[in-house]
Amino acid sequence: MAGQGPCLERLPEATGADEPVVTTITHDHEDRVRSYRLPAEEWQRR
């Protein structure tokens, strides 16, 4: 998600969404968990 910071802040205003939804299609459970953890960690840093 590096370099995507400003997009995260503008997303609710641009879409009218009140919460983000992340969908990941991957078979491996660890990869799926990581794909959700990465944006969550980035969001917490803000």
Side-chain angles (χ1 to χ4, degrees):
M1 299 224 38
Q4 297 299 314
C7 293
L8 288 176
E9 280 83 18
R10 291 192 315 255
L11 190 60
E13 181 180 333
T15 64
D18 59 354
E19 64 183 6
V21 176
V22 176
T23 302
T24 300
I25 300 172
T26 181
H27 179 73
D28 186 75
H29 178 72
E30 288 181 29
D31 289 342
R32 189 176 322 115
V33 170
R34 183 173 184 268
S35 75
Y36 295 131
R37 186 179 300 126
L38 290 173
E41 289 173 356
E42 179 65 26
W43 195 259
Q44 282 182 333
R45 279 196 281 253
R46 295 163 191 283

Short mmCIF file of all heavy atoms in Angstrom, two decimals:
data_model
loop_
_atom_site.label_atom_id
_atom_site.label_comp_id
_atom_site.label_asym_id
_atom_site.label_seq_id
_atom_site.Cartn_x
_atom_site.Cartn_y
_atom_site.Cartn_z
N MET A 1 0.82 -1.19 0.00
CA MET A 1 0.00 0.00 0.00
C MET A 1 0.86 1.25 0.00
O MET A 1 0.33 2.32 0.09
CB MET A 1 -0.92 -0.01 1.20
CG MET A 1 -1.86 -1.19 1.18
SD MET A 1 -3.58 -0.92 1.58
CE MET A 1 -4.03 0.61 0.90
N ALA A 2 2.15 1.06 -0.07
CA ALA A 2 3.02 2.21 -0.09
C ALA A 2 2.64 3.13 -1.25
O ALA A 2 2.38 2.68 -2.35
CB ALA A 2 4.46 1.77 -0.21
N GLY A 3 2.59 4.41 -0.96
CA GLY A 3 2.27 5.37 -1.99
C GLY A 3 0.78 5.58 -2.22
O GLY A 3 0.38 6.36 -3.05
N GLN A 4 -0.04 4.84 -1.49
CA GLN A 4 -1.49 4.95 -1.68
C GLN A 4 -2.15 5.80 -0.60
O GLN A 4 -3.35 5.92 -0.57
CB GLN A 4 -2.12 3.55 -1.66
CG GLN A 4 -1.66 2.68 -2.80
CD GLN A 4 -2.02 3.26 -4.15
OE1 GLN A 4 -3.12 3.71 -4.37
NE2 GLN A 4 -1.07 3.29 -5.06
N GLY A 5 -1.35 6.37 0.30
CA GLY A 5 -1.88 7.10 1.44
C GLY A 5 -2.95 8.13 1.12
O GLY A 5 -4.05 8.05 1.65
N PRO A 6 -2.68 9.10 0.27
CA PRO A 6 -3.69 10.11 -0.01
C PRO A 6 -4.99 9.52 -0.56
O PRO A 6 -6.07 10.03 -0.32
CB PRO A 6 -3.02 11.03 -1.03
CG PRO A 6 -1.57 10.85 -0.80
CD PRO A 6 -1.41 9.41 -0.38
N CYS A 7 -4.88 8.43 -1.28
CA CYS A 7 -6.08 7.79 -1.83
C CYS A 7 -6.99 7.29 -0.73
O CYS A 7 -8.21 7.37 -0.84
CB CYS A 7 -5.70 6.63 -2.75
SG CYS A 7 -4.85 7.15 -4.24
N LEU A 8 -6.41 6.76 0.33
CA LEU A 8 -7.22 6.25 1.44
C LEU A 8 -8.05 7.36 2.08
O LEU A 8 -9.21 7.15 2.40
CB LEU A 8 -6.33 5.60 2.50
CG LEU A 8 -5.71 4.26 2.14
CD1 LEU A 8 -4.78 3.79 3.26
CD2 LEU A 8 -6.78 3.22 1.87
N GLU A 9 -7.45 8.52 2.23
CA GLU A 9 -8.19 9.62 2.84
C GLU A 9 -9.28 10.17 1.93
O GLU A 9 -10.31 10.63 2.38
CB GLU A 9 -7.25 10.76 3.25
CG GLU A 9 -6.52 10.51 4.56
CD GLU A 9 -5.29 9.65 4.38
OE1 GLU A 9 -4.79 9.52 3.25
OE2 GLU A 9 -4.83 9.09 5.38
N ARG A 10 -9.06 10.14 0.64
CA ARG A 10 -10.03 10.70 -0.31
C ARG A 10 -11.14 9.72 -0.67
O ARG A 10 -12.18 10.13 -1.18
CB ARG A 10 -9.32 11.13 -1.59
CG ARG A 10 -8.42 12.34 -1.38
CD ARG A 10 -7.97 12.92 -2.71
NE ARG A 10 -7.53 11.92 -3.66
CZ ARG A 10 -6.26 11.66 -3.98
NH1 ARG A 10 -5.30 12.36 -3.43
NH2 ARG A 10 -5.94 10.74 -4.85
N LEU A 11 -10.93 8.45 -0.42
CA LEU A 11 -11.89 7.43 -0.83
C LEU A 11 -13.31 7.65 -0.28
O LEU A 11 -14.27 7.63 -1.06
CB LEU A 11 -11.38 6.04 -0.45
CG LEU A 11 -12.15 4.87 -1.03
CD1 LEU A 11 -12.14 4.91 -2.55
CD2 LEU A 11 -11.55 3.57 -0.53
N PRO A 12 -13.50 7.91 1.02
CA PRO A 12 -14.87 8.12 1.51
C PRO A 12 -15.57 9.31 0.84
O PRO A 12 -16.74 9.23 0.47
CB PRO A 12 -14.69 8.36 3.00
CG PRO A 12 -13.40 7.70 3.34
CD PRO A 12 -12.54 7.88 2.11
N GLU A 13 -14.85 10.39 0.67
CA GLU A 13 -15.45 11.57 0.04
C GLU A 13 -15.78 11.31 -1.43
O GLU A 13 -16.83 11.70 -1.93
CB GLU A 13 -14.49 12.76 0.15
CG GLU A 13 -15.04 14.03 -0.45
CD GLU A 13 -14.06 15.18 -0.33
OE1 GLU A 13 -13.23 15.18 0.60
OE2 GLU A 13 -14.13 16.07 -1.18
N ALA A 14 -14.89 10.62 -2.11
CA ALA A 14 -15.08 10.38 -3.54
C ALA A 14 -16.21 9.38 -3.82
O ALA A 14 -16.88 9.47 -4.84
CB ALA A 14 -13.78 9.86 -4.16
N THR A 15 -16.43 8.45 -2.88
CA THR A 15 -17.42 7.39 -3.13
C THR A 15 -18.68 7.51 -2.29
O THR A 15 -19.68 6.86 -2.60
CB THR A 15 -16.81 6.02 -2.85
OG1 THR A 15 -16.49 5.93 -1.44
CG2 THR A 15 -15.57 5.77 -3.69
N GLY A 16 -18.62 8.29 -1.23
CA GLY A 16 -19.75 8.37 -0.31
C GLY A 16 -19.82 7.19 0.64
O GLY A 16 -20.77 7.04 1.39
N ALA A 17 -18.81 6.34 0.60
CA ALA A 17 -18.77 5.16 1.48
C ALA A 17 -18.43 5.57 2.90
O ALA A 17 -17.66 6.50 3.12
CB ALA A 17 -17.74 4.17 0.97
N ASP A 18 -19.01 4.87 3.87
CA ASP A 18 -18.69 5.17 5.26
C ASP A 18 -17.74 4.14 5.87
O ASP A 18 -17.34 4.27 7.02
CB ASP A 18 -19.96 5.30 6.11
CG ASP A 18 -20.80 4.04 6.10
OD1 ASP A 18 -20.48 3.11 5.36
OD2 ASP A 18 -21.79 3.99 6.85
N GLU A 19 -17.39 3.11 5.10
CA GLU A 19 -16.41 2.13 5.57
C GLU A 19 -15.79 1.44 4.36
O GLU A 19 -16.45 1.27 3.33
CB GLU A 19 -17.04 1.10 6.50
CG GLU A 19 -18.08 0.23 5.84
CD GLU A 19 -18.72 -0.74 6.82
OE1 GLU A 19 -18.45 -0.67 8.02
OE2 GLU A 19 -19.51 -1.58 6.36
N PRO A 20 -14.52 1.03 4.49
CA PRO A 20 -13.89 0.32 3.38
C PRO A 20 -14.28 -1.17 3.40
O PRO A 20 -14.54 -1.74 4.45
CB PRO A 20 -12.40 0.48 3.66
CG PRO A 20 -12.32 0.62 5.14
CD PRO A 20 -13.59 1.35 5.55
N VAL A 21 -14.31 -1.77 2.24
CA VAL A 21 -14.54 -3.20 2.12
C VAL A 21 -13.39 -3.76 1.29
O VAL A 21 -13.11 -3.27 0.20
CB VAL A 21 -15.88 -3.51 1.44
CG1 VAL A 21 -16.05 -5.00 1.22
CG2 VAL A 21 -17.04 -2.94 2.26
N VAL A 22 -12.74 -4.78 1.82
CA VAL A 22 -11.61 -5.40 1.14
C VAL A 22 -12.01 -6.82 0.76
O VAL A 22 -12.51 -7.57 1.60
CB VAL A 22 -10.36 -5.43 2.05
CG1 VAL A 22 -9.22 -6.16 1.36
CG2 VAL A 22 -9.96 -4.02 2.46
N THR A 23 -11.81 -7.17 -0.49
CA THR A 23 -12.09 -8.52 -0.96
C THR A 23 -10.81 -9.09 -1.55
O THR A 23 -10.16 -8.43 -2.37
CB THR A 23 -13.18 -8.52 -2.04
OG1 THR A 23 -14.34 -7.93 -1.50
CG2 THR A 23 -13.48 -9.92 -2.52
N THR A 24 -10.45 -10.28 -1.11
CA THR A 24 -9.25 -10.93 -1.61
C THR A 24 -9.61 -12.32 -2.07
O THR A 24 -10.26 -13.07 -1.33
CB THR A 24 -8.18 -11.01 -0.51
OG1 THR A 24 -7.85 -9.70 -0.09
CG2 THR A 24 -6.94 -11.70 -1.01
N ILE A 25 -9.20 -12.66 -3.26
CA ILE A 25 -9.42 -14.01 -3.78
C ILE A 25 -8.07 -14.72 -3.80
O ILE A 25 -7.22 -14.43 -4.64
CB ILE A 25 -10.03 -13.96 -5.19
CG1 ILE A 25 -11.37 -13.24 -5.14
CG2 ILE A 25 -10.18 -15.38 -5.74
CD1 ILE A 25 -11.97 -12.97 -6.50
N THR A 26 -7.87 -15.58 -2.82
CA THR A 26 -6.65 -16.38 -2.75
C THR A 26 -6.96 -17.65 -1.98
O THR A 26 -7.78 -17.65 -1.06
CB THR A 26 -5.50 -15.60 -2.09
OG1 THR A 26 -4.33 -16.41 -2.08
CG2 THR A 26 -5.81 -15.19 -0.69
N HIS A 27 -6.35 -18.72 -2.38
CA HIS A 27 -6.60 -20.01 -1.75
C HIS A 27 -5.91 -20.13 -0.40
O HIS A 27 -6.47 -20.66 0.56
CB HIS A 27 -6.16 -21.15 -2.67
CG HIS A 27 -6.37 -22.50 -2.08
ND1 HIS A 27 -7.63 -23.06 -1.96
CD2 HIS A 27 -5.50 -23.39 -1.55
CE1 HIS A 27 -7.52 -24.23 -1.38
NE2 HIS A 27 -6.25 -24.47 -1.13
N ASP A 28 -4.70 -19.64 -0.31
CA ASP A 28 -3.90 -19.81 0.90
C ASP A 28 -4.41 -18.91 2.03
O ASP A 28 -4.51 -17.70 1.87
CB ASP A 28 -2.43 -19.48 0.59
CG ASP A 28 -1.54 -19.79 1.77
OD1 ASP A 28 -1.29 -20.99 2.01
OD2 ASP A 28 -1.12 -18.84 2.44
N HIS A 29 -4.71 -19.52 3.15
CA HIS A 29 -5.26 -18.78 4.29
C HIS A 29 -4.30 -17.69 4.79
O HIS A 29 -4.72 -16.57 5.07
CB HIS A 29 -5.61 -19.73 5.43
CG HIS A 29 -6.13 -19.04 6.64
ND1 HIS A 29 -7.40 -18.48 6.67
CD2 HIS A 29 -5.57 -18.78 7.84
CE1 HIS A 29 -7.59 -17.91 7.85
NE2 HIS A 29 -6.51 -18.09 8.57
N GLU A 30 -3.03 -18.02 4.90
CA GLU A 30 -2.05 -17.03 5.40
C GLU A 30 -1.98 -15.82 4.47
O GLU A 30 -1.87 -14.69 4.93
CB GLU A 30 -0.68 -17.68 5.57
CG GLU A 30 -0.63 -18.61 6.76
CD GLU A 30 0.75 -19.22 6.94
OE1 GLU A 30 1.75 -18.57 6.56
OE2 GLU A 30 0.82 -20.34 7.46
N ASP A 31 -2.01 -16.05 3.17
CA ASP A 31 -2.00 -14.94 2.21
C ASP A 31 -3.25 -14.08 2.37
O ASP A 31 -3.18 -12.86 2.29
CB ASP A 31 -1.93 -15.45 0.77
CG ASP A 31 -0.58 -16.05 0.43
OD1 ASP A 31 0.40 -15.78 1.15
OD2 ASP A 31 -0.51 -16.79 -0.58
N ARG A 32 -4.39 -14.72 2.58
CA ARG A 32 -5.65 -13.98 2.76
C ARG A 32 -5.60 -13.11 4.01
O ARG A 32 -5.94 -11.93 3.98
CB ARG A 32 -6.83 -14.95 2.83
CG ARG A 32 -8.16 -14.27 2.79
CD ARG A 32 -9.33 -15.25 2.77
NE ARG A 32 -9.08 -16.42 1.94
CZ ARG A 32 -8.99 -17.67 2.41
NH1 ARG A 32 -9.17 -17.90 3.69
NH2 ARG A 32 -8.76 -18.67 1.60
N VAL A 33 -5.15 -13.69 5.11
CA VAL A 33 -5.04 -12.93 6.36
C VAL A 33 -4.09 -11.75 6.18
O VAL A 33 -4.39 -10.63 6.61
CB VAL A 33 -4.58 -13.85 7.51
CG1 VAL A 33 -4.23 -13.05 8.75
CG2 VAL A 33 -5.66 -14.88 7.83
N ARG A 34 -2.96 -11.98 5.52
CA ARG A 34 -2.00 -10.90 5.30
C ARG A 34 -2.61 -9.79 4.43
O ARG A 34 -2.38 -8.62 4.67
CB ARG A 34 -0.74 -11.44 4.62
CG ARG A 34 0.32 -10.39 4.41
CD ARG A 34 1.62 -11.01 3.90
NE ARG A 34 2.65 -10.01 3.80
CZ ARG A 34 2.90 -9.30 2.69
NH1 ARG A 34 2.19 -9.50 1.60
NH2 ARG A 34 3.85 -8.39 2.69
N SER A 35 -3.41 -10.18 3.44
CA SER A 35 -3.99 -9.18 2.55
C SER A 35 -4.98 -8.27 3.29
O SER A 35 -5.23 -7.15 2.86
CB SER A 35 -4.70 -9.86 1.37
OG SER A 35 -5.93 -10.43 1.76
N TYR A 36 -5.56 -8.75 4.37
CA TYR A 36 -6.44 -7.91 5.19
C TYR A 36 -5.64 -7.13 6.24
O TYR A 36 -5.98 -6.02 6.59
CB TYR A 36 -7.50 -8.76 5.89
CG TYR A 36 -8.47 -9.41 4.94
CD1 TYR A 36 -8.76 -10.75 5.02
CD2 TYR A 36 -9.09 -8.67 3.93
CE1 TYR A 36 -9.65 -11.36 4.15
CE2 TYR A 36 -9.97 -9.26 3.05
CZ TYR A 36 -10.25 -10.60 3.16
OH TYR A 36 -11.12 -11.19 2.29
N ARG A 37 -4.57 -7.75 6.73
CA ARG A 37 -3.76 -7.10 7.76
C ARG A 37 -3.03 -5.87 7.22
O ARG A 37 -2.95 -4.84 7.91
CB ARG A 37 -2.75 -8.10 8.34
CG ARG A 37 -1.97 -7.53 9.52
CD ARG A 37 -0.98 -8.52 10.11
NE ARG A 37 -1.68 -9.69 10.59
CZ ARG A 37 -1.38 -10.94 10.23
NH1 ARG A 37 -0.40 -11.17 9.38
NH2 ARG A 37 -2.05 -11.96 10.70
N LEU A 38 -2.51 -5.96 6.00
CA LEU A 38 -1.73 -4.83 5.45
C LEU A 38 -2.53 -3.53 5.39
O LEU A 38 -2.05 -2.50 5.88
CB LEU A 38 -1.17 -5.20 4.08
CG LEU A 38 -0.07 -6.25 4.08
CD1 LEU A 38 0.27 -6.65 2.66
CD2 LEU A 38 1.15 -5.73 4.81
N PRO A 39 -3.72 -3.50 4.80
CA PRO A 39 -4.46 -2.23 4.80
C PRO A 39 -4.90 -1.80 6.20
O PRO A 39 -4.94 -0.61 6.50
CB PRO A 39 -5.66 -2.48 3.89
CG PRO A 39 -5.66 -3.92 3.56
CD PRO A 39 -4.37 -4.51 3.99
N ALA A 40 -5.19 -2.77 7.07
CA ALA A 40 -5.59 -2.41 8.44
C ALA A 40 -4.44 -1.73 9.17
O ALA A 40 -4.64 -0.72 9.86
CB ALA A 40 -6.03 -3.66 9.19
N GLU A 41 -3.24 -2.25 9.02
CA GLU A 41 -2.07 -1.63 9.66
C GLU A 41 -1.81 -0.24 9.10
O GLU A 41 -1.49 0.69 9.83
CB GLU A 41 -0.85 -2.52 9.49
CG GLU A 41 -0.91 -3.78 10.32
CD GLU A 41 0.22 -4.74 10.03
OE1 GLU A 41 1.04 -4.49 9.10
OE2 GLU A 41 0.29 -5.78 10.72
N GLU A 42 -1.95 -0.09 7.79
CA GLU A 42 -1.74 1.23 7.17
C GLU A 42 -2.77 2.22 7.70
O GLU A 42 -2.45 3.37 8.00
CB GLU A 42 -1.84 1.12 5.65
CG GLU A 42 -1.66 2.42 4.91
CD GLU A 42 -0.28 3.01 5.07
OE1 GLU A 42 0.69 2.26 5.32
OE2 GLU A 42 -0.15 4.25 4.95
N TRP A 43 -4.01 1.80 7.80
CA TRP A 43 -5.08 2.68 8.28
C TRP A 43 -4.82 3.09 9.73
O TRP A 43 -5.06 4.24 10.11
CB TRP A 43 -6.42 2.00 8.13
CG TRP A 43 -7.56 2.96 8.24
CD1 TRP A 43 -8.33 3.15 9.33
CD2 TRP A 43 -8.00 3.90 7.27
NE1 TRP A 43 -9.25 4.14 9.08
CE2 TRP A 43 -9.07 4.61 7.82
CE3 TRP A 43 -7.58 4.18 5.96
CZ2 TRP A 43 -9.74 5.59 7.12
CZ3 TRP A 43 -8.27 5.16 5.28
CH2 TRP A 43 -9.32 5.86 5.86
N GLN A 44 -4.33 2.17 10.56
CA GLN A 44 -4.06 2.47 11.98
C GLN A 44 -2.95 3.50 12.14
O GLN A 44 -2.93 4.25 13.11
CB GLN A 44 -3.68 1.20 12.74
CG GLN A 44 -4.87 0.36 13.07
CD GLN A 44 -4.50 -0.86 13.86
OE1 GLN A 44 -3.37 -1.37 13.76
NE2 GLN A 44 -5.42 -1.34 14.67
N ARG A 45 -2.01 3.53 11.20
CA ARG A 45 -0.90 4.49 11.28
C ARG A 45 -1.37 5.92 11.10
O ARG A 45 -0.67 6.87 11.37
CB ARG A 45 0.15 4.18 10.22
CG ARG A 45 1.08 3.08 10.61
CD ARG A 45 2.30 3.10 9.72
NE ARG A 45 1.98 2.50 8.43
CZ ARG A 45 2.43 1.31 8.06
NH1 ARG A 45 3.19 0.62 8.86
NH2 ARG A 45 2.13 0.82 6.88
N ARG A 46 -2.55 6.11 10.59
CA ARG A 46 -3.05 7.46 10.29
C ARG A 46 -3.70 8.06 11.46
O ARG A 46 -4.54 8.17 12.01
CB ARG A 46 -3.97 7.39 9.09
CG ARG A 46 -3.17 6.98 7.92
CD ARG A 46 -4.04 6.49 6.79
NE ARG A 46 -3.19 5.88 5.82
CZ ARG A 46 -2.43 6.57 4.96
NH1 ARG A 46 -2.47 7.84 4.93
NH2 ARG A 46 -1.67 5.94 4.13
#
